[in-house]
Amino acid sequence: MTLWRSLRSIPSWIVPLCAGVVVLLLPVLGLDFSTGRQIQLACILALLVSGLNLSHGYAGELALGQAAMYAAGAYTAGLLSKAGHTDILLQFVLAAAVALVVGLVSGIPGLRLGGWSLAMTSFFLVLLVPDILAVFAEWTGGRNGLSGVMPPTLLGADLAGDAYYWVVAGVTLAWFAIMRNLIVSRHGVAFRVLKKSPVLASSMGISVFRMKLLAYAVGAVPAGLAGALFVNLDLYVSPEAFGFVTAVTVLAASILGGSASVYGALLGAAIMQFGPNQASEFQEYALVFTGVFLIAGGVLLKGGLAGLCRRLVSRLDRAAGVTTAARNVSADVPDIAGATLAIDGVSKTFGGNQALKGVSLAARPGKVTALIGPNGSGKTTLLNMVCGFYRTDSGTITIGDTALQGLPPHRVARAGVARTFQTPNIPEGVTVLEAVSSGRYSGHRASVFSAILRLPGFRRVRTDDLVEAERALALVGMSDLRDAEATSLPLGMRRLLEVARALAARPGVLLLDEVASGLDEDEVERLAGLVRRIREAGGTIVLVEHNFRLVLDLADEIVVLAHGSVIATGPPEVIERNPRVLSEYLGIDGESAEGRAKVAELTGGGEITGTGESA
Amino acid sequence: MTLIWGGLALGAVYALVAIGYNIVFISSKTFNFAQAQLMMVGTFVAYTGLVTLRLPVFVVALMAVAAVFLVAAIEERVAIRPVKEPEAVLVTTLGASMLLDGVTQLIWGPQPLTVPFFGSDDVMSLFGGQVYPVEIALILLTVVIVVALSLLARRTLLGLALLGMAEDREAAMLRGVNVRRLAFGAFAFTGALAGLLGLFVGPKTFAVATLGASLALKGFVVVAIGGFGSIPGTLVGGVIVGLVEALAARYLGSEYANISVFAVLVVILMARPSGLFVRTQERTV
Amino acid sequence: MMSEENGTPLLRVRNLGTGYGDLRVVWDVSLDVRPGRLTVLLGRNGAGKTTTLRAVSGLNKAVAGTVELDGRDVTRLAPHQRVRLGMAYVQEGKRVFHRQTVEQNLLLGGYTLKMRRAALREEIQRIYELFPVLGEKRGLLAGSMSGGQQQMLAIGQALMARPKLLLLDEPSGGLAPAIVSEVMERIGQLKETGLGILLVEQAVEASVRVADQVAVIDMGRVVVSASADEVDDLGVLRDAYFGRGGREAASG
């Protein structure tokens, strides 16, 4: 266990790096030709799988077009070589570029389709590869394949035997370093946010459209590289290499290795290459093997081999008592520059059903504005309207001086509106700290490029992200949980985490949607304290809540909605005696004389006013 | 006209696969990638029964129904029921399809086998086109199955339960429907149907171990065009895919057949993401 | 807290706890429903009323406590098994099958009876007598009917299974006041046939009028449980709703 503790104290990227170096050194230690070839093919497969992991495992887009991008890369490099451009670097650049174009084109359906449809259309695209090649048979050799590819060179030097092995292994190593740097960055977390829910992504200011395109584009690059490597390995390429079986092998390797992991691609590729693909020498058993692998993998291995390793590590951690010390962070709330949210005369009709009728309200900095009302009164509709998920039929919504109506959700979020969800919406596979810092994704930018190369700009933003996230965590009293897996927390903690995530964005307006539901009394108390502190720091808080007691306790102003209209606005003391509110909540018919008498009795003699407006 | 008949018959085969997809989709909201492979197994059983064992047609039909029913039942228990996430179902049913491909190859070999049509094998002339009796049979059979399923769904208690389950699973449970058993039954039924259809599809396509893979995607295209869960939609989808494929192959060249179908699919999906016969649901947050 | 009455209750819920995943909504709910009697379950929204009904019907798993139907422990049974034992649940929001006709909806309601078509038609006739409007619209798609008619259809569909116990979730939800009283009147008639009813309602006054027992839950716990004549004074309910527990008298 002491051994385990010291092992855990070295940075986690050392292990794969060492493994990579060992693979690089294998030829020096003596490696027979066929094993060397298998390793190279496994590397090529791993590159393909890695691209799929990025778009599917992380971004959640089941686009299976890897084989098509692979083909694009291979034929690009092959044709370049035939034209005399044998330099491998040039081939890499162009193969990756062409694959990227194919990746973007094949991803277009994904912008509108999801799930099965995207999976199948991209699969279909793969099956079209031989047909497309046949259409351009003049250049590609059609079904006969592309022959006459020249041996590759690197800056004029011939690459053969061991030298080419090093190129393949080196490219693979480099790609996985890139992939690791991308995933272990704010962008990696943003991908997982997108996978969890596009709604969540856009309400955090992430453009779903751009993020999907980014996933397709980056996922295509390794496929293009793999194509270029493949064509130079055999100096020949035919459409058969890019068919159904390849597509399925890539998918199988991704699932078996663990699609939401960086190095799982290597594990999965190695298994498929040295397992079923070996059996391809006994061709008839290959399909049976792959089939059994897929079924067993899908049924048994949740999260693939990488998931298995992760669970093992965390079990060992617990056994060895490995903990990361919580840093002491001040729990002071920094001043929050709250902005006024003004809703003016907003109406919305769905079909023939008027959900909101001329709703107006204002939430001011340093105040808690509560929005209450019976089921179906229009609270959720109003919230969705503020967040940009529905368009207003009429009326205006502004934050400070910015008009929100008509903006898409991610622009609304960037204008300073942060929210929590009725059911906590937290991406999988990230730590509490990462989840909280993801709240800052849209407000503070660092490019993908700078993340991959770990440039100073990226480091600066990362440091700020961490400081801000730790502060937000301290504020909700969860500093000790910073390295826990976010989705494994109990409900109450997940709700507080959402509040912390929203706070990390330093929002102008904080929308809390039924944040107390399902919490026990202690947790509600903690939450109330937190809301008070945010109010004192100058934040603007809108509380949509069922818990009447909490609302009476916290709110400075209560807005009551019923049947799509505001029926009362005012401080708690006034609202709790308002006859209209009582009759709505108790279901007493306020129109009849009998009902009026009853309400009067309940409110201690107050009369029902015409509108119930008492603010 | 010969071309049209060929296209329609091809479309009928795709539609028959699509019907299987749709029944499973309606009953359990999952997608059985191995549906076409079930039909493929049916063609092989038909070959064994008719050619190798020289059994009477109705015995072979029973044999095919029973065999594929069993295969489907095992698939449901092993590769679908234990799986929780819908995406993993794609993987496991894909695995089941490859397993079936592999096993049929081991048993029957990779060469295409000619399955005789129990009717007649003589070419007929109809509306100015040449057509095989089996092609007519396929087209009629597809129409009959679509009509029969639509009627059964509306006229029988079991059909109503199935549709109710598709519309609101919870509400169906509260009417006393054992939804898990019904879903299993529907799945196994698609297997039995696929087995029977093997006798009709085999003579058109040959019994060959790559049949599943080529039918699977076209069947999906038919579903996507017609609309997920729409049985009448499969008829329309089948006609579109069959004709586009046949016409493109004839007038543009065989390499354009699939490309044209893909283009039509993408255009239709872009215009109507849930297909022609299903209304797109409004977005809910 | 439970008022004593002779005979075993039709439905006996004891210390029920339930929720969704790890979200626990109901902590401790106990209540009884007797044959031919109506128990109304009140509370603010979010208090756990619907979740209680879902757990009683088996849609949500009980993590604590027991549910007994007619003396038999059904806590571990699947929803369709409870239906077969005589429990019928009408969910809120008029959840009928919109894409089926009125008659098809009713046919499906008799799914558990395992009857021939002709016998089932007689059963349907019985429902049409109870709700004549359904008979008039038998060929229409359920989705095309008005809210009140859909509510009657939902109840009729549940009654097709010849239940002993009826769980009703907000039958008045979204209905105009005049229709609310009509629906309540029907519900009052139903219990005269010996049916036990557990009613969840927001329309406090209308429902208390037809109730024999009243239970109020708040934050997933029963806070008031009494016979209907004891809660004539609505002030008790208001305090339960607004959570002041009588701490402060209602005054000017």
Side-chain angles (χ1 to χ4, degrees):
Chain A
M1 286 299 120
T2 345
L3 174 67
W4 179 252
R5 267 201 292 273
S6 46
L7 269 178
R8 286 288 282 159
S9 62
I10 57 174
S12 59
W13 48 268
I14 294 285
V15 178
L17 184 65
C18 290
V21 171
V22 169
V23 171
L24 273 176
L25 289 178
L26 280 177
V28 183
L29 305 172
L31 182 70
D32 65 88
F33 175 76
S34 82
T35 318
R37 187 182 149 78
Q38 291 298 333
I39 293 178
Q40 292 178 59
L41 286 172
C43 284
I44 291 172
L45 182 57
L47 286 172
L48 286 171
V49 176
S50 179
L52 179 63
N53 280 1
L54 186 78
S55 57
H56 173 224
Y58 286 103
E61 293 284 295
L62 190 51
L64 301 170
Q66 296 298 321
M69 302 165 218
Y70 181 37
Y75 275 87
T76 304
L79 289 172
L80 277 173
S81 177
K82 279 186 78 172
H85 304 289
T86 54
D87 193 283
I88 194 95
L89 291 179
L90 176 73
Q91 292 185 11
F92 281 155
V93 172
L94 288 178
V98 173
L100 195 143
V101 171
V102 173
L104 285 179
V105 170
S106 71
I108 288 172
L111 296 174
R112 269 207 82 166
L113 310 174
W116 306 118
S117 297
L118 177 59
M120 288 297 169
T121 34
S122 55
F123 226 102
F124 199 170
L125 190 71
V126 170
L127 292 199
L128 290 183
V129 169
D131 292 329
I132 293 170
L133 291 173
V135 170
F136 299 103
E138 214 176 302
W139 299 285
T140 62
R143 290 180 200 276
N144 297 326
L146 185 70
S147 49
V149 178
M150 307 295 288
T153 58
L154 177 64
L155 306 172
D158 279 346
L159 290 170
D162 287 353
Y164 192 67
Y165 176 94
W166 280 318
V167 169
V168 174
V171 167
T172 310
L173 198 63
W175 168 257
F176 276 90
I178 289 174
M179 176 84 174
R180 183 260 170 200
N181 276 358
L182 179 63
I183 293 305
V184 187
S185 81
R186 56 210 327 270
H187 301 289
V189 179
F191 278 131
R192 276 171 281 199
V193 168
L194 176 67
K195 181 185 188 184
K196 172 68 188 177
S197 140
V199 169
L200 172 65
S202 46
S203 50
M204 287 168 63
I206 299 170
S207 162
V208 171
F209 178 81
R210 282 191 47 175
M211 215 59 200
K212 281 186 175 179
L213 282 186
L214 183 66
Y216 299 141
V218 181
V221 170
L225 295 178
L229 289 172
F230 181 67
V231 73
N232 283 304
L233 184 63
D234 289 346
L235 304 180
Y236 168 76
V237 57
S238 79
E240 276 160 37
F242 311 106
F244 185 73
V245 176
T246 309
V248 176
T249 306
V250 173
L251 179 63
S254 168
I255 301 287
L256 285 175
S259 60
S261 79
V262 175
Y263 307 115
L266 285 164
L267 292 176
I271 291 175
M272 290 308 285
Q273 189 59 43
F274 292 96
N277 280 15
Q278 282 295 303
S280 67
E281 281 151 33
F282 318 90
Q283 188 61 46
E284 57 264 50
Y285 290 102
L287 286 170
V288 177
F289 270 128
T290 313
V292 171
F293 260 66
L294 282 173
I295 296 177
V299 172
L300 301 176
L301 284 177
K302 192 170 183 294
L305 285 174
L308 207 66
C309 293
R310 232 172 265 147
R311 285 193 288 275
L312 191 70
V313 166
S314 68
R315 180 169 299 178
L316 281 169
D317 277 357
R318 246 174 289 141
V322 176
T323 49
T324 37
R327 269 178 264 173
N328 260 335
V329 190
S330 78
D332 302 339
V333 191
D335 279 349
I336 299 176
T340 300
L341 174 74
I343 297 172
D344 193 20
V346 165
S347 298
K348 178 73 186 174
T349 308
F350 293 107
N353 172 25
Q354 183 142 31
L356 291 177
K357 290 172 241 172
V359 171
S360 301
L361 65 90
R364 297 191 176 78
K367 299 274 184 232
V368 175
T369 308
L371 187 60
I372 64 169
N375 279 342
S377 57
K379 295 181 307 250
T380 309
T381 308
L382 187 61
L383 208 64
N384 282 329
M385 201 143 305
V386 172
C387 290
F389 290 110
Y390 298 148
R391 273 174 192 283
T392 51
D393 290 347
S394 62
T396 59
I397 303 172
T398 53
I399 176 170
D401 300 324
T402 318
L404 296 182
Q405 77 275 10
L407 291 184
H410 70 275
R411 310 278 305 185
V412 171
R414 286 183 198 172
V417 177
R419 71 176 288 184
T420 66
F421 292 84
Q422 282 185 24
T423 333
N425 217 338
I426 291 164
E428 279 171 31
V430 300
T431 65
V432 168
L433 194 66
E434 283 172 322
V436 171
S437 58
S438 69
R440 285 169 48 86
Y441 184 76
S442 65
H444 308 76
R445 317 301 283 276
S447 71
V448 169
F449 189 70
S450 70
I452 287 171
L453 296 180
R454 294 289 192 258
L455 295 179
F458 169 78
R459 287 169 187 278
R460 207 160 43 237
V461 171
R462 185 176 62 174
T463 315
D464 293 348
D465 279 354
L466 285 181
V467 169
E468 200 60 29
E470 297 215 21
R471 181 145 54 180
L473 269 184
L475 195 58
V476 298
M478 285 171 55
S479 294
D480 50 330
L481 290 169
R482 62 196 286 273
D483 294 317
E485 163 132 16
T487 47
S488 70
L489 297 181
L491 178 84
M493 293 292 167
R494 296 209 301 276
R495 281 205 194 285
L496 290 173
L497 188 152
E498 282 212 318
V499 178
R501 178 174 65 193
L503 277 179
R506 298 271 192 111
V509 175
L510 183 58
L511 304 177
L512 302 177
D513 190 4
E514 307 212 0
V515 74
S517 76
L519 300 192
D520 66 28
E521 274 150 43
D522 287 350
E523 289 168 330
V524 170
E525 210 35 63
R526 205 154 140 189
L527 186 81
L530 178 62
V531 170
R532 282 194 199 96
R533 265 181 289 166
I534 299 169
R535 168 173 61 189
E536 275 148 32
T540 306
I541 298 164
V542 176
L543 192 66
V544 177
E545 190 50 67
H546 274 146
N547 188 330
F548 214 86
R549 224 172 310 177
L550 186 70
V551 167
L552 292 178
D553 208 26
L554 279 179
D556 297 296
E557 179 147 281
I558 301 178
V559 177
V560 188
L561 271 183
H563 312 296
S565 311
V566 175
I567 60 165
T569 306
E573 315 82 77
V574 175
I575 292 297
E576 68 177 326
R577 295 201 199 298
N578 182 301
R580 277 278 314 266
V581 177
L582 278 175
S583 71
E584 280 297 336
Y585 263 84
L586 292 180
I588 299 168
D589 177 13
E591 304 299 311
S592 71
E594 187 194 356
R596 257 206 295 271
K598 227 161 227 151
V599 170
E601 182 192 322
L602 288 175
T603 54
E607 268 181 44
I608 296 181
T609 55
T611 60
E613 203 73 42
S614 35
Chain B
M1 199 60 210
T2 307
L3 193 63
I4 303 282
W5 283 126
L8 287 177
L10 196 63
V13 174
Y14 297 151
L16 291 172
V17 177
I19 289 169
Y21 282 148
N22 264 333
I23 294 176
V24 172
F25 184 79
I26 288 171
S27 58
S28 47
K29 292 278 179 282
T30 50
F31 194 74
N32 178 20
F33 201 91
Q35 193 67 50
Q37 271 73 13
L38 293 177
M39 196 180 276
M40 175 188 78
V41 173
T43 65
F44 279 107
V45 175
Y47 173 84
T48 303
L50 291 171
V51 177
T52 315
L53 303 175
R54 296 176 180 283
L55 295 170
V57 171
F58 82 97
V59 178
V60 178
L62 275 181
M63 216 169 85
V65 166
V68 185
F69 175 86
L70 198 68
V71 172
I74 294 173
E75 190 200 339
E76 207 269 356
R77 283 299 158 103
V78 174
I80 293 185
R81 184 162 299 190
V83 187
K84 295 284 178 287
E85 307 117 56
E87 272 173 15
V89 173
L90 178 71
V91 175
T92 52
T93 59
L94 195 57
S97 74
M98 298 201 81
L99 185 61
L100 289 175
D101 280 347
V103 170
T104 45
Q105 229 177 80
L106 285 180
I107 299 177
W108 284 285
Q111 295 306 317
L113 304 172
T114 310
V115 182
F117 183 50
F118 54 81
S120 136
D121 281 339
D122 307 324
V123 185
M124 303 158 42
S125 192
L126 200 61
F127 298 119
Q130 304 289 307
V131 58
Y132 284 101
V134 67
E135 293 183 315
I136 297 291
L138 277 170
I139 296 168
L140 287 178
L141 193 64
T142 310
V143 175
V144 167
I145 290 179
V146 167
V147 171
L149 285 177
S150 307
L151 284 180
L152 281 178
R154 291 279 161 204
R155 298 285 164 86
T156 66
L157 213 48
L158 210 60
L160 288 178
L162 203 63
L163 290 180
M165 187 166 92
E167 187 179 331
D168 187 339
R169 208 176 168 78
E170 226 170 47
M173 279 187 208
L174 292 177
R175 303 283 73 84
V177 178
N178 185 345
V179 291
R180 282 183 73 168
R181 212 166 82 192
L182 196 57
F184 175 73
F187 194 94
F189 170 75
T190 64
L193 188 64
L196 180 67
L197 294 175
L199 269 74
F200 295 86
V201 173
K204 165 87 180 156
T205 63
F206 300 105
V208 56
T210 53
L211 181 62
S214 59
L215 290 185
L217 265 156
K218 294 295 170 51
F220 169 78
V221 175
V222 170
V223 173
I225 289 178
F228 285 87
S230 165
I231 298 285
T234 55
L235 213 51
V236 177
V239 168
I240 292 177
V241 175
L243 288 183
V244 167
E245 187 172 336
L247 292 173
R250 171 73 177 74
Y251 294 109
L252 298 174
S254 65
E255 63 268 34
Y256 286 97
N258 281 334
I259 297 177
S260 305
V261 173
F262 184 73
V264 169
L265 170 72
V266 169
V267 168
I268 290 181
L269 282 184
M270 282 299 164
R272 295 188 63 112
S274 0
L276 294 176
F277 279 63
V278 176
R279 238 177 293 144
T280 311
Q281 280 173 345
E282 277 188 37
R283 179 169 67 172
T284 46
V285 178
Chain C
M1 295 280 269
M2 295 288 147
S3 74
E4 291 302 318
E5 211 177 311
N6 294 332
T8 46
L10 187 57
L11 176 73
R12 207 174 113 98
V13 177
R14 285 296 172 272
N15 309 107
L16 184 69
T18 185
Y20 305 84
D22 64 348
L23 194 162
R24 183 126 178 219
V25 178
V26 171
W27 297 88
D28 183 7
V29 167
S30 298
L31 51 86
D32 286 347
V33 179
R34 288 166 196 284
R37 294 280 186 272
L38 189 149
T39 301
V40 65
L41 186 59
L42 302 169
R44 292 181 291 105
N45 44 36
K49 304 184 299 281
T50 297
T51 315
T52 301
L53 285 195
R54 289 178 62 89
V56 169
S57 73
L59 290 178
N60 286 29
K61 271 204 186 98
V63 292
T66 53
V67 177
E68 283 173 31
L69 180 66
D70 223 359
R72 175 172 173 179
D73 186 349
V74 297
T75 320
R76 305 271 159 256
L77 294 188
H80 70 269
Q81 290 169 312
R82 302 191 199 194
V83 175
R84 287 168 196 186
L85 291 174
M87 186 190 284
Y89 178 15
V90 180
Q91 285 179 284
E92 70 184 315
K94 299 158 291 231
R95 271 167 85 168
V96 291
F97 300 105
H98 287 220
R99 286 182 242 145
Q100 301 187 7
T101 63
V102 170
E103 187 138 318
Q104 285 169 337
N105 265 286
L106 291 176
L107 278 170
L108 192 49
Y111 184 81
T112 52
L113 296 178
K114 307 280 173 215
M115 277 182 183
R116 300 174 146 273
R117 193 45 82 97
L120 219 45
R121 296 252 177 243
E122 276 172 36
E123 290 292 313
I124 291 180
Q125 213 51 50
R126 189 169 58 90
I127 304 297
Y128 287 157
E129 277 160 29
L130 202 60
F131 301 109
V133 63
L134 296 183
E136 291 159 25
K137 310 228 164 180
R138 65 181 76 186
L140 286 185
L141 283 185
S144 69
M145 297 201 304
S146 75
Q149 291 162 351
Q150 286 186 19
Q151 188 60 61
M152 289 178 203
L153 177 59
I155 296 173
Q157 195 184 29
L159 291 177
M160 277 295 291
R162 291 191 177 164
K164 294 180 259 186
L165 174 72
L166 189 62
L167 311 175
L168 285 173
D169 197 350
E170 282 202 39
S172 79
L175 301 183
I179 302 175
V180 173
S181 45
E182 192 193 335
V183 170
M184 288 301 164
E185 207 174 293
R186 299 286 181 181
I187 293 170
Q189 288 167 4
L190 285 177
K191 65 176 186 174
E192 260 136 57
T193 63
L195 196 63
I197 299 175
L198 177 57
L199 174 69
V200 158
E201 255 307 333
Q202 299 248 2
V204 175
E205 219 205 351
S207 56
V208 170
R209 218 181 289 145
V210 293
D212 302 290
Q213 284 284 319
V214 176
V216 180
I217 62 174
D218 192 41
M219 309 292 282
R221 291 182 173 82
V222 173
V223 291
V224 173
S225 176
S227 77
D229 17 315
E230 288 174 82
V231 292
D232 250 6
D233 174 16
L234 285 169
V236 179
L237 293 179
R238 186 207 44 193
D239 287 347
Y241 266 48
F242 294 91
R244 283 176 299 179
R247 167 165 56 89
E248 185 191 349
S251 63

